[in-house]
């Protein structure tokens, strides 16, 4: 994982209110194979940024004259600050006046593998890193060699980037490779990127199962064979990539570096203000509320609901990656399922979410990074159609009070529908961890006590759910694979409502949850302090389980 200190130089140079470059605040899981990217960068002086993924960041060099396929051409590569992994998908224009202001193109990208017996960390320290590139434009063996510091005592660390002699070397080719001046990500020229024109994105493909596993590549490099099976597999993957390239379309838009195709397509016919919500509106919504949302998405498998033709068209519920899934999604394996689950760990992934017309996000309720351990409880209050919202508010307050009496702190949000979710953060510390079975039993017991005390207001039996006049207390969200809609997730329902996190004091009987929409929520959440202390209120569940069980057995005895 990237330590925040290794990115502090990167972050201190940039104002993320002004540049669309990734902030590096969100962690991107390292890929199975190490990535490389070369970004052509028309800053005050044109250069090529050469980046190698290592230990959770991109080690970076500015190569003034660009890489050369001619082994006699040693290209100066000035060491620069580590960049976050999210930077590997950045293409666009850094505003003038900002650090590195100018146009950035993803000129090449792919995977790299160290050569030789040393670890790449050791090799970098010693000043000679030999490696292979498997990109779209660049291939074969290369070396980075650190130069001795000049006597003037300059601050820069200079390296040379040199092509090894192999079948990919080209002598005296006059830098023909640098004239291949189109983005490997979007197919755009520098001018098209500068003009903000869009095009069909060409996402980094999922690693094909046919591709050699990373270890095989590593080992074959060590023995200098880089095996025929591995290279065949690589070629197959590349052929598939090329088939996904579509003609450029100037009508597209770009948000967070991601191309949004059909930006004007209406996903909701009316956001309650007479205007439709377009795909571009959705991308901008996720961009606006993304940093807030991510705290509740990061590290948790997340189901999505897609509606490519809008809320009145077909809905697709999806847990797993599909063909062409953007590499901005994290793919996470959970015990008992071969297929990896989708996970959203960074704001750029939310732009990709909008691009595939994903209207709802439903994360698991586990601890981040640990699907086996409950990370929060969710009490889902479902009123029968004839129950007033005011009665749901009363029920939410009652859940809160009961939790508080057991030592737990809770937060509330509207669902975007008629219900309310009461959410309780649980302590992440190892000694406080409980099983999903115990967490679910706790939620069950608490709800059953509410039913026992007010049978004319509540029920908690799924089979009787639709009973008129009552509120169904759904404790079943508290299970390993159960989900609840994420705070601030839009809903694929009329009026473009969102699940709005609120302060308890905002839950007044006159509150109309329909007021919280894709249109209104960004400004409201920006000035709201709702859920701000969420992380400080995580409590252990075990003591509460003991207390609730005592009360249950007392009630049974009576
Ligand atoms: P409402 O206020 O309309 O009840 P809600 O989000 O609470 O909104 P529910 O139907 O009560 O909707 O479902 C609660 C949660 O359970 C949802 O947010 C969702 O994450 C999950 N869920 C509901 N139905 C399904 C389903 N068919 N498959 C998977 N998860 C579901
Ligand atoms: Mn509900």
């Amino acid at each position: 994982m990237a330590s925040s200190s290794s990115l502090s130089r990167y972050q201190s140079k940039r104002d993320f209110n002004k540049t669309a470059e990734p902030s590096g605040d969100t962690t991107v899981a390292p890929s199975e194979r190490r990535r490389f990217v070369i970004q052509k960068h028309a800053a005050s002086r044109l250069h090529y940024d050469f980046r190698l993924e290592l230990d959770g960041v991109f080690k970076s060099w500015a190569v003034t004259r660009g890489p050369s396929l001619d082994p006699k051409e040693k290209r100066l590569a000035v060491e620069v600050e580590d960049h976050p992994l999210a930077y590997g998908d950045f293409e666009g224009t850094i505003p003038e006046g900002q650090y590195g202001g100018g146009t950035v193109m993803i000129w090449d990208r792919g995977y790299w593998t160290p050569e030789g017996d040393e670890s790449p960390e050791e090799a970098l320290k010693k000043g000679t890193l030999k490696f292979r590139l498997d990109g779209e434009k660049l291939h074969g063996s290369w070396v980075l060699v650190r130069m001795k510091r000049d006597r003037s005592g300059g601050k820069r660390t200079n390296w040379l980037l040199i092509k090894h002699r192999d079948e990919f070397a080209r002598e005296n080719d006059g830098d023909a490779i640098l004239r291949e001046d189109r983005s490997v990500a979007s197919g755009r020229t520098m001018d098209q990127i500068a003009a903000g024109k869009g095009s069909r994105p060409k996402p980094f493909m999922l690693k094909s199962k046919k591709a050699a596993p990373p270890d095989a590549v590593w080992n074959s490099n060590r023995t200098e064979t880089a095996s025929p099976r591995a290279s065949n597999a690589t070629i197959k993957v590349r052929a598939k990539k090329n088939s996904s390239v579509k003609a450029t379309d100037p009508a597209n838009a770009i948000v967070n570096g991601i191309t949004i195709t059909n930006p004007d397509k209406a996903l909701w016919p009316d956001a309650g203000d007479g205007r439709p919500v377009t795909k571009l509106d959705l991308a901008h919504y996720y961009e606006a509320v993304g940093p807030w949302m991510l705290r509740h998405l990061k590290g948790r498998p997340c189901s999505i609901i897609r509606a490519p033709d809008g809320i009145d068209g077909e809905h697709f519920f999806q847990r797993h990656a599909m063909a062409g899934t953007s590499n901005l999604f994290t793919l996470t394996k959970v015990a008992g399922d071969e297929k990896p689950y989708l996970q959203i760990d960074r704001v750029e992934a939310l732009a990709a979410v909008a691009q595939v017309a994903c209207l709802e996000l439903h994360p698991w309720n586990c601890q981040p990074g640990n699907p086996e351990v409950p990370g929060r409880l969710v009490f889902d209050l479902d009123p029968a159609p004839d129950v007033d919202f005011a009665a749901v508010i009363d029920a939410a307050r009652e859940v809160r009070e009961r939790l508080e009496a057991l030592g737990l702190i809770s937060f509330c949000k509207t669902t975007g529908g008629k219900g309310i979710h009461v959410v309780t953060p649980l302590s992440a510390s190892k000694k406080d961890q409980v099983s999903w079975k115990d967490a679910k039993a706790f939620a069950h017991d608490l709800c059953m006590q509410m039913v026992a005390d007010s049978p004319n207001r509540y029920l908690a039996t799924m089979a009787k759910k639709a009973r008129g006049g009552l509120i169904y207390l759904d404790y079943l969200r508290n299970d390993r694979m159960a989900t609840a809609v994420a705070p601030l997730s839009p809903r694929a329902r009329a009026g473009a409502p969102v699940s709005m996190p609120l302060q308890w004091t905002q839950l007044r009987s006159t509150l109309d949850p329909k007021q919280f929409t894709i249109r209104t929520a960004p400004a409201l959440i920006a000035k709201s302090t709702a859920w701000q202390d969420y992380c400080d209120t995580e409590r252990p569940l075990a003591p509460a389980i003991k207390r609730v069980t005592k009360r249950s057995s007392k009630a049974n005895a009576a």
Side-chain angles (χ1 to χ4, degrees):
M1 281 299 112
S3 68
S4 53
S5 65
S6 70
L7 291 177
S8 58
R9 273 182 67 205
Y10 170 88
Q11 285 161 337
S12 67
K13 286 168 185 258
R14 291 169 175 79
D15 179 350
F16 295 105
N17 291 318
K18 295 193 176 137
T19 177
E21 294 165 280
S23 68
D25 273 346
T26 52
T27 328
V28 175
S31 53
E32 272 174 61
R33 296 168 65 190
R34 296 186 179 98
R35 283 168 289 197
F36 85 90
V37 62
I38 299 175
Q39 280 151 322
K40 185 174 177 179
H41 188 176
S44 51
R45 186 166 168 195
L46 180 77
H47 63 273
Y48 293 75
D49 292 304
F50 182 67
R51 310 188 196 283
L52 298 175
E53 174 177 344
L54 190 66
D55 300 328
V57 295
F58 274 122
K59 295 283 167 198
S60 298
W61 292 261
V63 185
T64 334
R65 293 178 56 205
S68 171
L69 301 186
D70 187 343
K72 294 197 302 292
E73 284 283 338
K74 302 177 165 109
R75 292 286 152 94
L76 177 68
V78 179
E79 187 179 312
V80 298
E81 74 274 18
D82 294 348
H83 278 53
L85 292 183
Y87 211 96
D89 291 290
F90 177 72
E91 179 171 282
T93 300
I94 303 169
E96 229 172 288
Q98 294 304 299
Y99 181 74
T103 302
V104 177
M105 168 201 278
I106 299 178
W107 184 79
D108 196 16
R109 66 181 173 187
Y111 299 102
W112 73 281
T113 39
E115 293 189 314
D117 291 330
E118 271 171 340
S119 72
E121 291 86 354
E122 195 65 17
L124 274 178
K125 215 158 84 189
K126 287 193 183 161
T128 306
L129 177 68
K130 294 181 183 167
F131 55 94
R132 285 186 74 84
L133 294 180
D134 178 24
E136 303 261 343
K137 289 175 180 158
L138 301 188
H139 310 277
S141 283
W142 297 73
V143 65
L144 270 165
V145 186
R146 188 166 56 221
M147 297 166 76
K148 290 221 172 72
R149 282 191 186 246
D150 60 348
R151 293 205 187 94
S152 61
K155 268 200 235 151
R156 303 190 321 187
T157 307
N158 292 334
W159 299 65
L160 294 172
L161 176 66
I162 310 164
K163 179 81 197 73
H164 269 161
R165 288 180 198 283
D166 60 19
E167 73 268 35
F168 299 106
R170 297 282 177 276
E171 289 194 39
N172 307 316
D173 76 332
D175 279 339
I177 189 80
L178 297 184
R179 290 196 291 277
E180 289 184 26
D181 193 33
R182 275 186 188 274
S183 161
V184 294
S186 65
R188 297 180 297 174
T189 62
M190 288 298 268
D191 286 346
Q192 286 170 328
I193 296 168
K197 287 187 176 148
S199 77
R200 174 121 184 144
K202 197 178 142 198
F204 225 15
M205 296 295 286
L206 281 178
K207 275 133 235 124
S208 158
K209 272 204 178 137
K210 286 177 199 145
D215 282 346
V217 174
W218 173 270
N219 292 333
S220 64
N221 278 331
R222 278 188 189 203
T223 52
E224 293 286 338
T225 61
S227 78
R229 247 185 82 231
S231 56
N232 276 347
T234 315
I235 289 161
K236 262 183 224 154
V237 174
R238 207 173 295 135
K240 207 166 139 201
K241 272 186 190 173
N242 286 338
S243 68
S244 73
V245 185
K246 290 272 154 57
T248 55
D249 178 352
N252 295 336
I254 294 188
V255 177
N256 267 342
I258 304 300
T259 303
I260 306 295
T261 56
N262 296 321
D264 297 331
K265 179 166 213 155
L267 296 176
W268 285 265
D270 183 352
D273 56 3
R275 289 184 298 130
V277 178
T278 65
K279 220 171 131 188
L280 184 59
D281 290 339
L282 179 64
H284 283 144
Y285 174 77
Y286 282 129
E287 189 184 27
V289 303
W292 198 107
M293 280 187 96
L294 271 171
R295 285 175 283 173
H296 301 279
L297 297 172
K298 240 161 88 168
R300 298 172 160 121
C302 187
S303 304
I304 63 177
I305 292 178
R306 297 171 65 200
D309 294 319
I311 63 166
D312 297 324
E314 217 174 328
H315 292 199
F316 299 93
F317 179 86
Q318 197 180 321
R319 289 190 180 89
H320 302 287
M322 63 283 188
T325 295
S326 167
N327 76 317
L328 292 164
F329 289 101
T330 306
L331 299 184
T332 185
K333 285 260 194 134
V334 305
D337 199 335
E338 260 308 295
K339 285 193 276 179
Y341 282 65
L342 289 171
Q343 188 171 297
I344 295 162
D345 286 336
R346 44 184 165 146
V347 277
E348 292 79 11
L350 285 172
V353 156
Q355 165 55 15
V356 295
C358 163
L359 275 42
E360 299 193 3
L361 301 172
H362 295 261
W364 289 21
N365 293 309
C366 57
Q367 292 288 358
N370 200 347
E372 310 309 323
V373 177
R376 57 190 172 210
L377 300 179
V378 178
F379 296 86
D380 167 28
L381 312 184
D382 286 336
D386 58 342
V387 175
D388 287 340
F389 194 65
V392 190
I393 291 175
D394 287 340
R397 289 222 181 90
E398 186 176 338
V399 174
R400 179 202 190 198
E401 279 157 26
R402 284 176 185 259
L403 288 168
E404 205 164 85
L406 296 166
L408 296 168
I409 297 173
S410 55
F411 297 83
C412 61
K413 63 184 179 74
T414 65
T415 59
K418 268 197 73 188
I420 292 179
H421 290 171
V422 178
V423 181
T424 310
L426 299 179
S427 164
S429 100
K430 196 144 192 150
K431 69 173 171 34
D432 294 333
Q433 291 177 357
V434 296
S435 67
W436 275 113
K437 186 169 159 277
D438 289 347
K440 185 165 134 185
F442 170 82
H444 167 267
D445 290 352
L446 188 134
C447 291
M448 285 308 176
Q449 288 174 6
M450 285 178 68
V451 174
D453 290 348
S454 310
N456 55 346
R457 289 164 68 199
Y458 307 128
L459 82 167
T461 324
M462 174 110 83
K464 300 183 197 161
K465 183 174 170 176
R467 197 139 302 180
L470 300 183
I471 296 170
Y472 171 64
L473 309 177
D474 180 2
Y475 60 89
L476 295 168
R477 302 299 98 223
N478 303 296
D479 215 341
R480 182 172 173 269
M481 296 183 85
T483 61
V485 73
L488 291 175
S489 169
R491 302 309 300 259
R493 302 178 186 188
V498 306
S499 175
M500 188 71 185
L502 295 173
Q503 297 269 29
W504 283 103
T505 50
Q506 288 175 284
L507 273 192
R508 281 184 293 263
S509 56
T510 50
L511 185 92
D512 178 7
K514 284 201 203 66
Q515 69 184 278
F516 304 115
T517 70
I518 283 192
R519 219 75 97 195
T520 62
L524 292 171
I525 201 69
K527 53 177 201 255
S528 166
T529 55
W531 293 44
Q532 235 168 40
D533 46 347
Y534 186 95
C535 293
D536 305 327
T537 57
E538 294 166 347
R539 296 285 182 269
L541 187 57
I545 289 176
K546 268 190 207 142
R547 282 185 233 164
V548 84
T549 322
K550 220 186 261 170
R551 157 108 210 246
S552 290
S553 43
K554 241 195 265 169
N556 288 344

